[in-house]
Amino acid sequence: MTFKKNILCIGAGYVGGPTMATIAYKCPQYKVTVVDIDSERIAQWNSDNLPIYEPGLDEIVKTTRDRNLFFDTDIKRGVKGSDIIFVSVNTPTKTFGAGAGMAADLQYWEKTARQIREYAQSHKIIVEKSTLPVKTALAMERILTSSDNEISFEVLSNPEFLAEGTAIKDLEYPDRVLIGSRETASGLKARDELVEIYANWVPRERIITSNIWSSELSKLVANAFLAQRISSINSITALCEKTDADIIEVARAVGMDSRLGSKFLDASVGFGGSCFKKDILNLVYLCRHYGLEEVADYWEGIVRINDYQKERFVLKMLSAMFNTLAGKKICLFGFAFKANTGDTRESPAIFIAKRLLEEKAELVITDPKALKNAMMDLYGIHENIRYVEDPYEASAGCDAIAVMTEWELYANLDFEKIYRSMGKPAFIFDGRNILDHTRLFEIGFNVFPIGKPALTHF
Ligand code: NAD
Ligand code: UGA
């Protein structure tokens, strides 16, 4: 079969895999190849056990794989044979040198640019899918055009807004697709080629275009605003707990103002995930780079509140359980950074598990999808942790349960059975406010929600 165009994606991760599977699914006329340096990951993409769990992903990969979707390790062949190259490699926070702990580590990104330059034999459109600091496209252009060959490149910015756990739905029905380009004739032509791909399934009015720097910046700002809402509501949970106000009631009252909206106001033990913290720190670093100290401080406050919320949760457990956790058994319900994913990157559960271990508690960790990642996150800490998939078995004999992830299954457990199997007094710390607190109290638990009065038998 001859395809209309050949699309390559470099980086077969949480973004590259689902995004390209969706393009292949919606556009059978395009050939889509996804390459990665991680051969094990590529082998998993080619197997029945995909490397990531995402509702709906298995089905679309099954439909498209080896039809017009291919996973490969041969980057050279991929680059040579492609017309459009998406780059969705990881851009973590730098851990060394200048900007350590703040700036984006662009080493993987830059390596990709050099590989494209080395292997390309014809004109290519390069699409920034990864989240990047503003002006990265300029650096990309400079690398691509710094060789003697005559090959031309056009760099576009097309940030991804999917959230894990709902990636396929977000990709099928995006609020918007953003495409930033240079405003030159060739820039606009490349932009239109990318618009044409998305227009196969996204309503035209949802595909928005902008200049390339606005597009790069919009991605950082969107994540900063989303995280800001969580830190805002989480900061108020602390005040609720001091004043007997109820965060659920406050969030409802605030969110019913149509100017504010009700989404993303679920108080929690803190936000996690690979991006919010990294992207805010990236924004903060950029602001400091341009001498905008007040702006940087403002956005950095969101990360500070998130750290405070996680520590506050541990201190609440400590004080509720008579100021000592040493030797006590605590069961963590959930380890993923949110429900419906096995991803644990920056999960608040990692911080809380480590802090509880510091307090010499014994941990039992349960999660329907994330136990393997949890073991890797806590690798090297062998003592005092058990990993048990069944929540009943996991909580039996424990003194406390702490809900870390809002998996629906936890709301539907038989808590009378769980209560009977636990040590007494039995505690529940609901870091996601997903349980029926009154009912738990009636069963006999001492219940500590987030941002709501505690229900205790003392
Ligand atoms: P990831 O770590 O899951 O995947 C990145 C992949 O790139 C890895 O498999 C890695 O092996 C591969 N890679 C690195 N260098 C390579 C190279 N030179 N050649 C080929 N492959 C290479 O990361 P992710 O979660 O998919 O995120 C990718 C980017 O997308 C990041 O910039 C992130 O901020 C952004 N983003 C992520 C999400 C999300 O939900 N995870 C959402 C929107 C945007
Ligand atoms: C987030 C954004 O929602 C995506 O638009 C963006 O593309 C992505 O980051 C990215 O750039 O990586 P994601 O981190 O996958 O997506 O998941 P979210 O649903 O945003 O949740 C992030 C964290 O905030 C989770 O720990 C979640 O439990 C927490 N959260 C979310 C709350 O504590 N309260 C809420 O009301 C919502």
Side-chain angles (χ1 to χ4, degrees):
M1 158 150 192
T2 45
F3 292 100
K4 180 172 178 176
K5 285 253 157 74
N6 291 315
I7 294 174
L8 177 74
C9 176
I10 304 182
Y14 285 86
V15 168
T19 311
M20 292 304 122
T22 303
I23 292 182
Y25 185 65
K26 298 289 184 183
C27 313
Q29 70 276 33
Y30 290 91
K31 180 180 175 192
V32 182
T33 306
V34 191
V35 290
D36 204 292
I37 35 170
D38 183 341
S39 53
E40 202 182 313
R41 214 167 201 186
I42 290 297
Q44 285 175 314
W45 279 111
N46 280 320
S47 77
D48 287 339
N49 285 321
L50 302 185
I52 62 173
Y53 169 71
E54 200 54 70
L57 178 64
D58 281 28
E59 289 78 1
I60 65 165
V61 170
K62 263 190 198 130
T63 310
T64 52
R65 200 171 51 197
D66 299 330
R67 179 190 81 178
N68 66 329
L69 177 67
F70 302 88
F71 294 96
D72 199 359
T73 48
D74 194 336
I75 298 173
K76 183 175 180 180
R77 182 171 56 199
V79 171
K80 269 182 167 172
S82 63
D83 304 296
I84 302 175
I85 304 178
F86 287 81
V87 185
S88 69
V89 299
N90 37 326
T91 51
T93 304
K94 219 175 152 194
T95 54
F96 54 87
M102 295 293 276
D105 181 349
L106 294 174
Q107 60 170 310
Y108 308 102
W109 179 261
E110 200 190 299
K111 182 147 188 272
T112 315
R114 289 174 190 276
Q115 283 171 319
I116 295 172
R117 186 189 63 191
E118 189 181 343
Y119 303 139
Q121 294 177 346
S122 58
H123 172 75
K124 313 271 175 224
I125 295 174
I126 312 298
V127 185
E128 294 181 340
K129 218 5 150 185
S130 301
T131 303
L132 297 156
V134 196
K135 294 275 173 180
T136 302
L138 190 61
M140 184 77 154
E141 286 168 358
R142 286 187 177 149
I143 294 171
L144 289 172
T145 53
S146 64
S147 87
D148 317 328
N149 64 31
E150 297 291 294
I151 296 164
S152 58
F153 297 93
E154 197 58 53
V155 180
L156 300 175
S157 160
N158 171 221
E160 184 47 60
F161 296 104
L162 70 79
E164 287 178 33
T166 53
I168 299 303
K169 187 176 113 306
D170 296 341
L171 287 163
E172 283 200 76
Y173 306 101
D175 286 351
R176 79 305 205 184
V177 167
L178 174 60
I179 301 173
S181 69
R182 290 282 195 180
E183 279 143 339
T184 55
S186 59
L188 297 178
K189 185 166 168 281
R191 180 195 77 184
D192 291 346
E193 276 193 50
L194 191 53
V195 169
E196 196 189 328
I197 296 176
Y198 283 107
N200 281 284
W201 78 97
V202 181
R204 190 61 190 79
E205 65 279 9
R206 286 182 186 254
I207 306 175
I208 58 171
T209 59
S210 73
N211 88 35
I212 198 160
W213 321 126
S214 307
S215 175
E216 289 178 332
L217 183 57
S218 299
K219 173 63 197 177
L220 294 182
V221 174
N223 272 0
F225 272 51
L226 287 167
Q228 179 193 43
R229 269 177 86 88
I230 305 169
S231 276
S232 296
I233 202 76
N234 280 347
S235 72
I236 301 301
T237 60
L239 189 56
C240 284
E241 287 167 31
K242 296 280 184 207
T243 58
D244 286 346
D246 179 329
I247 198 65
I248 306 256
E249 295 176 350
V250 174
R252 187 182 59 204
V254 171
M256 277 180 75
D257 187 322
S258 60
R259 292 169 303 175
L260 297 170
S262 59
K263 292 183 183 160
F264 250 66
L265 286 178
D266 294 330
S268 65
V269 58
F271 62 74
S274 62
C275 293
F276 277 174
K277 183 175 174 188
K278 123 177 132 52
D279 293 347
I280 293 173
L281 293 178
N282 194 337
L283 185 66
V284 169
Y285 185 75
L286 272 171
C287 293
R288 296 212 192 285
H289 171 79
Y290 289 109
L292 305 171
E293 294 299 329
E294 286 77 3
V295 186
D297 291 345
Y298 173 74
W299 290 107
E300 201 166 17
I302 289 159
V303 176
R304 271 203 305 275
I305 287 288
N306 200 49
D307 292 342
Y308 163 77
Q309 185 75 344
K310 292 184 279 187
E311 177 65 16
R312 207 171 69 77
F313 190 84
V314 175
L315 295 181
K316 184 162 67 175
M317 291 182 75
L318 184 62
S319 101
M321 295 177 77
F322 319 113
N323 292 313
T324 175
L325 298 175
K328 290 185 179 159
K329 287 199 178 72
I330 297 172
C331 182
L332 297 187
F333 270 21
F335 207 82
F337 81 97
K338 64 182 284 198
N340 297 317
T341 176
D343 193 355
T344 58
R345 290 178 293 177
E346 294 290 336
S347 176
I350 301 175
F351 174 87
I352 285 163
K354 288 185 176 164
R355 281 289 287 109
L356 293 175
L357 289 168
E358 260 171 42
E359 296 292 340
K360 305 237 177 292
E362 291 175 28
L363 298 186
V364 187
I365 298 173
T366 181
D367 189 291
K369 295 283 176 199
L371 283 192
K372 224 166 103 189
N373 280 334
M375 284 177 212
M376 287 199 281
D377 294 328
L378 301 173
Y379 182 74
I381 312 174
H382 299 295
E383 284 162 47
N384 295 338
I385 313 182
R386 285 195 302 130
Y387 301 90
V388 179
E389 194 153 329
D390 176 45
Y392 293 105
E393 202 190 311
S395 51
C398 286
D399 301 286
I401 291 170
V403 180
M404 297 285 101
T405 312
E406 71 283 19
W407 286 105
E408 208 181 312
L409 83 104
Y410 298 142
N412 300 317
L413 295 172
D414 177 351
F415 276 98
E416 284 189 23
K417 179 174 162 187
I418 289 177
Y419 181 73
R420 283 196 301 274
S421 75
M422 286 178 66
K424 309 291 177 322
F427 294 82
I428 286 200
F429 300 89
D430 186 355
R432 296 289 183 168
N433 283 346
I434 52 161
L435 305 180
D436 181 343
H437 302 137
T438 313
R439 172 89 190 103
L440 292 174
F441 175 68
E442 284 164 6
I443 292 172
F445 284 103
N446 297 294
V447 188
F448 292 80
I450 293 264
K452 289 162 71 120
L455 301 169
T456 65
H457 296 282
F458 311 121

